[in-house]
Structures are given as structure tokens and as C-alpha cells.
Amino acid sequence: MSQQETAWCPGCGNFSILNTFEEAVKKAGIDRRNLVLVSGIGQAAKFPHYTEANLFNGLHGRALPAATGIKIANHTLNVVITSGDGDMYGEGGNHLLHAMRRNIGVKAFVHNNQVYGLTKGQASPTSEWGFHTKLQPEGVINAPMNPLAMGIIHDISLVARAYVGDREHLREMMVEFLSHEGGFALLDILQPCVSFNKLNTYQWYSERVQPIGSDHDPCDRQAALELAGQWEDTIPTGIIYRSEREPFESLLPALKEAPDGLCEKS
Amino acid sequence: MDINVRIAGEAGQGIETAGEVLAQALADAGLYVFAAKSYMSRIRGGLNWYDIRISDQALFSGKENSDILLSLTAEGIKTLQGKAGSQAVVIADKATAENSSGCNCLDISGTAKTAGGSKIMANMVAAGVVFGMLPYDIEALSQQIRQAFDSKGEEMVKKNLKCAESGAELTKGLSDKLLFPQSGGADSFLCSGTEAVGMGALSAGVKFASAYPMTPATGVITYLAKHAREYGIVVEQAEDEIAAVNMVCGATFAGACALTATSGGGFALMAEGLSLSGMMELPVFIVLSQRPGPATGLPTRTAQQDLRFAVHGGHGEFPRAIFAPGTPEEAFKLTRKALATAHTFQSPAILMMDQFLADYVTNTAPLNTAYRPIDKQITTSPGEDYRRYKITENGVSPRAVPGGDALVKADSDEHDAEGHITENLSIRIEQHDKRMRKEKGIIEDSIAPMRYGPQDAQELIINWGSSYGPCREAVDTLNERGHGIAMLHFAQVWPLKTEEIKKAIQGDAPSWPELTCVEGNSTAQFAGLLKEQGIIDSRKPLLKYNGMPFTGIEIAEAIESD
Ligand SMILES: Cc1ncc(C[n+]2csc(CCOP(=O)(O)OP(=O)(O)O)c2C)c(N)n1
Ligand code: SF4
Ligand SMILES: [Mg+2]
């Protein structure tokens, strides 16, 4: 773990993500010199500073294009995004859509607290209907975004959800993602924000979160969509969808001829 | 001695193809050509034309009036006949022409039908008509037609050849009164600014390019895509310009040599990413090909309106280098120079073109396109306690890339030497000053303005970028008429080497020369920068912002009549 002092509130779900991540990196046997953590801006996006890896803490909303550039330049790197819901689904929403179309081989851990933490509590694209904030005093009137369904529809390599309150399961998911070698992999991590989200609390999530049963076939698109649509009473966690689609970078002729990447040092 | 040939028609009639075939055929015949297209932002209809100025001496500019005007539409005759010289030969297609005076009606589309089987081939009949009027061996045209249609099969080649030959036969006696330049020793290689930038980038080792299409910058990225296999590079059409520049930031962070290309509107979307490259100290290279704004403006026309935007674009303060080539040849060299500068100083570099320079073609001495990658100056031995943003005297810190022994950390927040986010205000000052110190090196490494004309001139034209050619022609014209005038061409417009530039302006003139600043904008942006930097005081602006490029003749006339 790094020497950097965290800027997170006591009790924040981000701590569990960080601790679990450290365990998962060890368990998956990841060489940190080959690991690049990419983020945008937000509380979650500070994550890369608190561990040891290469890091690219870029602009708000732009983690995906930066990660795409890094992966294309050197596809031997393990490129992992750790950023917030506002960053990845709001400001970066267009990039999310097109990263899915590309099926670029990066993994995204989205710390989904259903709120904008860093800017002190405005609605995010995943905030609930009616969620009250100082900026939405009448409550949210826009439908919450469903990034997991988007991933399934665009046939990305891996779609999953985890919850910080179930660390063992979260670790299992992270290990799978860190070791994943295919195309775009999206892990939506439910992460309570104790300061600005008084609706989706630890208790609220704990009452609803339920690991997906072993009878689910992640290659079954319809079943996956069904699961991705569940939110009200039960919120399924685990691998929701898996595709055999080839990653973007494997379809680039230049990369086939440059097994070490495009970055010869001169 | 030169003549200007103009062929016109509507979009979809193949005017550009005919123009390109003619231009190359003439260059192959040893003539100097300066060929430029003028087109509207549409795929069908409207009025487009293609100018080919032909000479026995090197050409640097187009000309407003034509000596031969051929139009396939009535609209072309109506709009352009007024811009044909008094001795000009005007040719209309019989099928569309109204009986206007001074106009020769030839059966161009009819000939296309009989010789080629379709009136679509009227453009090749037109090419034949033009060539038939010129005193050069028509084999040069046939060669070009064979090449141009080779991929479409023997049948198409034959039909188009027949069209051109039949066209040439229609012209007996038409051009008897015109004088023509001798064919001679011109380089047959025709090059545009767009191709030159593409070649420069490939030769310099660019391995990744990402862009969103926008006229007149699209050609650069298309050129790279066409040669991607050959050079082993990846070209990606981004979802928007924000993604394009951020991908380039990511790719350069990882160690690839990369670029993006756009026009003003896309550059506006890149502003935050440009600032990121300043903060992260990434060698990002942006080709900024201008067109008239504001907003969507005139998409297919030319302008030099984004200089201030390039100099000041992006929030915060950070060093950058901005280049503005004057010819395709210079565009090639400066693409390499801009990439080298970006890597040496780990700072963004911008190459400014415009529709005029991007699109015109002229004879160019062969470019050294051999693969000679620039030195990316990446350290391979970062050492134990590597820190990406180590404080150094010249502001440049050793640059490592991920995947090696050291962890590489880059942050868009203010950061410490290691690359970690910080809100420590003294570290902020240290890092900011470190970044800004690099500007001194960029200035020392910058390109001095180039003088053309007498050293002791009392009259001086100041130009930047694409107006180099027209200004140069104006200098020659004026000096032939007894002026003592010179010009200073700025191929690098930022940052400015103040004292050297003052000396360059002074030259050997007995007193401070009278200055005319030629710019394709309405507010004399570059003159304003020079003034701000304390380099010049008073100057006469010679400005044009109607979307059309300067011509040498109009600059000479404006200065003469002043
Ligand atoms: C271009 C730009 N717009 C707005 C901001 C301000 N901003 C920073 S983080 C953020 C939202 C963060 O929300 P989220 O990604 O969910 O992160 P969290 O703090 O909740 O972890 C906003 C709006 C910014 N930094 N840059
Ligand atoms: S604001 Fe919310 S998300 Fe941010 S650190 Fe505090 S609790 Fe965590
Ligand atoms: Mg959030």
C-alpha cells in the first residue's frame, strides 16, 4: 500500500474497495510494474494514488479514452480503470458507449455510490428516481442509467456487479477481472457514500444485494439482460454476462506485427 | 510567363479528378503548376472549380483571374466569366450554355456520350479540351488517365482515354491567341500540405493517430490510414475530439509517438485535453487545420483565425510550441520538428495549417520520407527512486514509461515530484515553475523568421503560415516594379524570440522598416502578438477573411496602391 494519505471520509465504501483490491492484486499474482491504473476526477478517482502501480489520473470523464490510448500504445500492459459513477457514466458517458462498441481490452471498476461525492452531493446518472439533493430539491426526475444492460447489449467481454459489503465476493470479482485477458470488462461496484447518499446506505444495499445463483449462464444474453434489469427488491451481484467477442486490439493489424506494443524506446 | 486554367462544374461532376489528372500531367511534362480547389460544403450541385496555374518558373500562389475558363454548368459561366481575363478563352458545354457573348460552346457532354458512353465522363472530355489547347505532348495526359483509372479496369481506361482524345480534337484554333510557358525542368512530384504532414508524421515514427473527421483536417488522418499497414501504425476514428486528444494523451504516456488532427471546432473540444498534456508533460502533437469561424463557419474555405486560440487555448498556464508552415515542403519538415520539440520538452506542439495549404498542390523537391524516427527521449534506466516530475534546472524531467522497472505516475491534479496529487502550495509553485521553465528551452530551440528579399529593405511584409507563397510572389512583383521590399516569414509563431525577431525585422535597413502584416483574419492576430511582446509598434494590416486565400497579385496591388 502507498504512503499517500487518503482524502476519503471515515466509513466510506472506498476503503473496502482499496483493501480488497490489495488482496486481489496479491491473489491474482499481478506484477504492479505492468499494471496501469487509470482514473478521471472524483473521490473514487483518487484511488490510484493510494496503492502502488503506474497511474494516469486524467480528466473528469476521460478515463476511458486515455485507457484506450494506453492499451493501443502498449497492449502488453494490464490497464484498469478505477473511477466513479459520475465520471464514467455521466461526464464520460459517450466514451463508455464507444468503448463498449470497441470492446477495448481494459477493465473498469466503477465505484458506484449513486451520487457525486467530490462536488458535495449532486445526483449522478445512477441516482434513484426521486433522490433529493441540494441541486435536485424536487427529487431526480430522470431515469437511472443501466450501464450493465448497455454492456450486454453491446456484447462486451465481461459484465459484473459487486458490493463493498460483501468483501469476499468483491475480491473474487476483482481477481477475475485483474486476470481477465479479453475485451472490455465492466465491474459496477455498489459503494455507499456515508456523507452524501442517505438513501442508498449500507443497510439499504444489504437488504437487497443477492449473489447470482449458480444456475445462471452468463453466456445467455436474455437471462443476463433480465438480471441486469433487477434493482427494486433484489440486486444481483456476480458475473452477469460473458462474451467471446474478440477485443479491439486483437483486430489491429499493426499490433499483430508488434507483439511488444508500439512504444519502442528510442 | 504563366497562365491560369480554371475548370468548373457542380459537385459530383468529377471536376476535382479532372483537375488532378491535368495538374499531374502538366507536372510530368516538366511545367511548374500551382493547383488549388475551391469547393462548397456539399456532395452534389453547387459550384466547384479547380485552378491550375502553369509556369516555366516556380509558383507560390494562385491567381484570381483565369486565362482559360471551362465550365460544365451555366452557373459556372455566369459566376466566373467576370473573373476571366480580357484575352481569356471561355468554353461552355453546349448542353448547358445559353448563347452568351465571348463564350465558345463545345459539345462536351455529347462527346462524353459518344466517346465514353456516358455523360459522367464529361470531366475527361474537359481535361482533353484543356490539354488540346496547350502546346504540350498529350501523351502526358494519357499516362495520367491510365494511372487514374487503372484500378477500374481496362474498359474504363479506354473509354476515358477516348473521351480525352475526342475532347482535344474539339479545340482546333481556340487558343491561337494565347501565349504559353515553355515546358522544362520542374520537379514532377506534386505535393499538398496534407500529404506532407502525413509523410512527415510517418517518417518521424508516429505509431498512433486518433481523430474525429472535420474539414479541412480529415485528409491528414485519411492519409495515415491509407499507409497504416505499410508503417505498422494504428489509426482510430474517435467518438469525438475529446476522446481523440485524450487517447493521444494516453498513448504518449505509454510511450508511443502519437498525433491528432482537427479544425477550430474540434480544437475547441480538445482544449481541456491540451491543458492535460501541459500538466502531465506529455508530448502531444495536434495538427490544427483552420477554416473560417466562428462556430461551423465556412467549412470548406480557408482562414488564419485560430492563432490566438492556439496560443491561449487550454485553461491554466503551460508552455507549448506552435508551428505554421508556408509550403508543403515546410509542412513536412515542421511536422518532424514539432514532434521532436514535443518530445524534447515534454510539452504539446501544434502545427497550424488551413484549407489553402492543406489542399493546394505544387511541384515539390522529393522529400526524404525514409523512416527516421525522432528521438523520443525516453529513459530506459530510471533508477531506484524514479520520480516522473523531478525538479530540474531546465524543467525537463527524465521521462520513463510504464512497463519498465519504475512505476510511472501522472496526474491532472497538481502533483508532487513523484506524480501524486497534492494541495501543498509550495510544491504547487515548484512544479508550476518547473513546467514553465521549459519555455526558455523551447524559445532557444525555436525557428527564426525567414527573410526573403533585400536585407536593407525599408518596406517589410510580415507573414505567418500559408500566406508565405502569395507574399513571396508579391515581393518579387513589387521589386520588379522598383520597390525595395522584403518579407519575413514566421514558420514558428509561438513562443517568440523577441530580440532576434527585432533584429530580423531591422535587417540592414537604415531605419526601422515600414511593416505590413498579411493575415487571413480580421483582427491582425499575429501583429497583435508581436505588439504584445514588445516587438513591433505600428504596422499596417493587410487582412482577408472572406474564406478565400490570398494571391500574390492582390497583395502586390494592395501594397502598391497604399
Ligand atoms: C470538466 C469538469 N467538470 C466538472 C468537474 C467537477 N467534478 C469533479 S468530480 C465530479 C463528480 C464526481 O462524481 P463521481 O465520479 O461519482 O465521483 P465520486 O466523488 O462520487 O466518487 C465533478 C462534477 C471537473 N473536475 N471537471
Ligand atoms: S463523500 Fe462519500 S464517496 Fe466521497 S469519501 Fe466521503 S463517503 Fe466516500
Ligand atoms: Mg459517485
Side-chain angles (χ1 to χ4, degrees):
Chain A
M1 191 150 330
S2 115
Q3 303 304 305
Q4 300 293 313
E5 198 188 315
T6 63
W8 294 328
C9 315
C12 172
N14 276 319
F15 289 107
S16 302
I17 300 182
L18 181 58
N19 296 332
T20 314
F21 180 82
E22 298 297 354
E23 295 164 11
V25 167
K26 274 202 200 84
K27 189 148 185 230
I30 300 294
D31 178 356
R32 290 176 190 256
R33 289 172 308 177
N34 210 43
L35 179 64
V36 186
L37 296 182
V38 184
S39 67
I41 297 297
Q43 286 293 78
K46 291 176 183 163
F47 182 99
H49 292 286
Y50 306 145
T51 177
E52 276 300 314
N54 298 285
L55 77 88
F56 186 107
N57 181 185
L59 297 171
H60 184 42
R62 316 303 167 199
L64 266 167
T68 302
I70 293 168
K71 189 68 185 178
I72 292 173
N74 185 352
H75 60 284
T76 67
L77 295 171
N78 196 351
V79 182
V80 179
I81 294 172
T82 62
S83 217
D85 48 326
D87 194 73
M88 293 292 287
Y89 301 154
E91 189 91 340
N94 192 33
H95 308 310
L96 181 74
L97 183 62
H98 294 278
M100 286 173 170
R101 288 184 50 228
R102 289 188 184 98
N103 200 30
I104 181 78
V106 309
K107 304 103 197 252
F109 294 167
V110 182
H111 307 208
N112 183 2
N113 54 9
Q114 302 185 256
V115 73
Y116 283 13
L118 184 60
T119 47
K120 300 192 187 301
Q122 303 79 21
S124 94
T126 49
S127 292
E128 308 274 336
W129 290 104
F131 182 64
H132 287 264
T133 81
K134 281 188 184 153
L135 192 54
Q136 285 84 17
E138 310 294 335
V140 168
I141 54 172
N142 299 346
M145 178 173 172
N146 191 328
L148 301 185
M150 267 173 74
I152 298 164
I153 286 166
H154 292 95
D155 196 27
I156 70 172
S157 288
L158 206 49
V159 176
R161 183 187 279 128
Y163 167 51
V164 298
D166 185 352
R167 283 194 45 192
E168 209 168 308
H169 178 256
L170 175 60
R171 185 171 56 241
E172 198 186 303
M173 291 293 107
M174 283 185 165
V175 168
E176 165 127 24
F177 271 64
L178 288 170
S179 320
H180 168 71
E181 282 187 345
F184 190 33
L186 175 64
L187 178 63
D188 184 75
I189 305 172
L190 302 175
Q191 171 240 320
C193 167
V194 294
S195 297
F196 297 110
N197 190 337
K198 307 289 183 193
L199 173 63
N200 310 97
T201 59
Y202 281 100
Q203 193 188 343
W204 190 92
Y205 286 122
S206 298
E207 282 165 7
R208 289 168 177 80
V209 161
Q210 215 169 67
I212 296 166
S214 56
D215 54 338
H216 172 61
D217 173 10
C219 299
D220 180 340
R221 204 164 167 164
Q222 280 312 318
L225 270 176
E226 178 87 8
L227 278 180
Q230 282 179 27
W231 185 263
E232 294 293 300
D233 301 330
T234 56
I235 303 176
T237 55
I239 303 283
I240 294 178
Y241 184 67
R242 206 188 278 283
S243 158
E244 292 300 312
R245 178 149 77 103
E246 282 177 288
F248 179 79
E249 60 278 13
S250 73
L251 300 173
L252 298 172
L255 300 193
K256 285 189 189 135
E257 277 152 39
D260 300 329
L262 301 174
C263 305
E264 83 276 0
K265 296 179 187 108
S266 64
Chain B
M1 157 83 258
D2 70 84
I3 61 159
N4 194 28
V5 175
R6 177 168 296 157
I7 48 176
E10 55 183 43
Q13 281 186 322
I15 296 302
E16 198 178 336
T17 311
E20 285 171 0
V21 163
L22 275 169
Q24 190 59 62
L26 289 161
D28 288 348
L31 287 141
Y32 288 95
V33 304
F34 188 98
K37 60 178 175 174
S38 177
Y39 63 113
M40 295 171 82
S41 183
R42 54 200 291 173
I43 305 302
R44 289 284 180 270
L47 172 63
N48 294 351
W49 67 90
Y50 196 95
D51 275 5
I52 308 165
R53 193 177 179 193
I54 310 164
S55 177
D56 45 15
Q57 287 168 44
L59 288 168
F60 292 92
S61 162
K63 198 165 109 170
E64 193 168 341
N65 287 340
S66 57
D67 303 296
I68 294 176
L69 167 65
L70 182 157
S71 177
L72 295 180
T73 62
E75 172 72 18
I77 297 291
K78 201 170 101 198
T79 311
L80 299 172
Q81 193 167 14
K83 285 182 181 158
S86 53
Q87 300 297 310
V89 179
V90 179
I91 298 162
D93 182 10
K94 211 162 130 192
T96 61
E98 284 129 47
N99 285 333
S100 58
S101 62
C103 192
N104 303 281
C105 292
L106 303 184
D107 188 11
I108 296 174
S109 38
T111 305
K113 270 187 227 150
T114 31
S118 158
K119 82 175 199 224
I120 288 292
M121 288 179 217
N123 65 338
M124 282 305 127
V125 177
V129 168
V130 168
F131 220 92
M133 295 168 70
L134 305 172
Y136 317 120
D137 185 357
I138 197 158
E139 180 49 27
L141 178 65
S142 307
Q143 274 283 346
Q144 271 312 307
I145 292 178
R146 274 183 220 114
Q147 269 190 28
F149 295 96
D150 187 44
S151 61
K152 298 200 170 140
E154 190 51 32
E155 183 68 16
M156 279 301 277
V157 171
K158 272 196 193 139
K159 282 183 178 169
N160 279 286
L161 279 174
K162 184 97 182 81
C163 283
E165 281 158 18
S166 313
E169 280 160 18
L170 297 173
T171 62
K172 297 264 143 44
L174 263 182
S175 56
D176 289 355
K177 289 206 194 99
L178 290 177
L179 292 173
F180 296 100
Q182 296 275 318
S183 60
D187 270 303
S188 65
F189 172 52
L190 291 183
C191 188
S192 67
T194 296
E195 292 163 324
V197 168
M199 288 177 206
L202 291 172
S203 82
V206 165
K207 290 290 171 205
F208 175 63
S210 176
Y212 188 85
M214 186 168 188
T215 307
T218 314
V220 169
I221 206 84
T222 312
Y223 183 89
L224 295 177
K226 185 172 162 197
H227 297 279
R229 281 276 177 127
E230 204 180 318
Y231 282 82
I233 78 167
V234 175
V235 178
E236 175 62 357
Q237 180 177 328
E239 54 271 29
D240 54 35
E241 289 85 350
I242 302 175
V245 73
N246 279 279
M247 283 186 198
V248 171
C249 286
T252 51
F253 166 78
C257 188
L259 69 76
T260 183
T262 188
S263 190
F267 187 69
L269 293 181
M270 290 185 186
E272 199 190 12
L274 176 68
S275 175
L276 177 70
S277 69
M279 185 56 138
M280 285 190 167
E281 308 196 38
L282 300 169
V284 165
F285 177 44
I286 302 176
V287 178
L288 171 52
S289 206
Q290 303 160 94
R291 67 193 217 188
T296 310
L298 291 167
T300 59
R301 305 297 176 183
T302 200
Q304 294 186 296
Q305 292 181 337
D306 297 334
L307 178 64
R308 286 280 189 176
F309 190 30
V311 171
H312 302 299
H315 53 298
E317 297 166 314
F318 54 94
R320 70 191 81 194
I322 307 178
F323 300 90
T327 59
E329 186 181 354
E330 199 172 41
F332 174 81
K333 288 187 186 146
L334 291 189
T335 299
R336 295 184 52 89
K337 165 83 178 169
L339 282 161
T341 303
H343 283 81
T344 303
F345 299 101
Q346 302 175 19
S347 295
I350 300 168
L351 184 98
M352 297 189 76
M353 291 208 292
D354 48 44
Q355 181 269 327
F356 175 53
L357 176 57
D359 289 347
Y360 81 70
V361 298
T362 194
N363 312 66
T364 302
L367 303 170
N368 180 2
T369 55
Y371 186 66
R372 292 167 294 143
I374 52 140
D375 182 358
K376 290 192 281 184
Q377 308 192 29
I378 293 171
T379 173
T380 44
S381 50
E384 285 274 296
D385 61 341
Y386 176 72
R387 286 171 306 150
R388 173 68 187 88
Y389 302 106
K390 185 176 154 188
I391 302 292
T392 62
E393 205 177 309
N394 64 3
V396 178
S397 319
R399 176 171 166 241
V401 298
D405 288 336
L407 294 183
V408 183
K409 301 173 182 182
D411 193 358
S412 74
D413 294 274
E414 190 55 89
H415 43 258
D416 59 19
E418 205 182 334
H420 281 299
I421 182 170
T422 185
E423 295 188 54
N424 177 318
L425 303 185
S426 51
I427 295 181
R428 148 72 179 177
I429 296 289
E430 269 173 39
Q431 285 293 325
H432 186 85
D433 290 349
K434 172 192 114 64
R435 288 189 293 269
M436 293 307 283
R437 276 202 294 282
K438 295 187 293 182
E439 185 160 89
K440 192 160 163 254
I442 301 178
I443 291 177
E444 276 160 16
D445 188 49
S446 69
I447 301 170
M450 183 187 87
R451 177 179 281 259
Y452 180 73
Q455 278 298 328
D456 60 353
Q458 263 314 132
E459 279 183 277
L460 190 69
I461 292 175
I462 288 186
N463 105 282
W464 63 280
S466 71
S467 59
Y468 164 76
C471 287
R472 185 179 158 140
E473 184 182 307
V475 165
D476 286 341
T477 308
L478 289 167
N479 286 338
E480 274 161 27
R481 293 182 194 160
H483 284 248
I485 191 166
M487 67 179 282
L488 265 194
H489 165 59
F490 285 77
Q492 182 161 0
V493 290
W494 192 261
L496 297 166
K497 228 185 231 178
T498 313
E499 289 314 310
E500 278 78 353
I501 294 171
K502 279 190 196 161
K503 280 190 205 129
I505 291 176
Q506 178 75 59
D508 295 336
S511 57
W512 187 250
E514 198 175 308
L515 305 177
T516 303
C517 294
V518 176
E519 301 191 51
N521 57 56
S522 71
T523 53
Q525 297 186 17
F526 188 57
L529 278 183
L530 292 175
K531 206 168 168 179
E532 230 170 77
Q533 299 289 308
I535 296 171
I536 65 170
D537 194 6
S538 70
R539 83 290 180 227
K540 277 180 284 185
L542 203 172
L543 308 174
K544 185 169 186 178
Y545 49 93
N546 68 350
M548 300 303 282
F550 280 106
T551 67
I553 295 171
E554 89 184 305
I555 294 172
E557 273 169 10
I559 290 177
E560 192 138 65
S561 69
D562 197 52

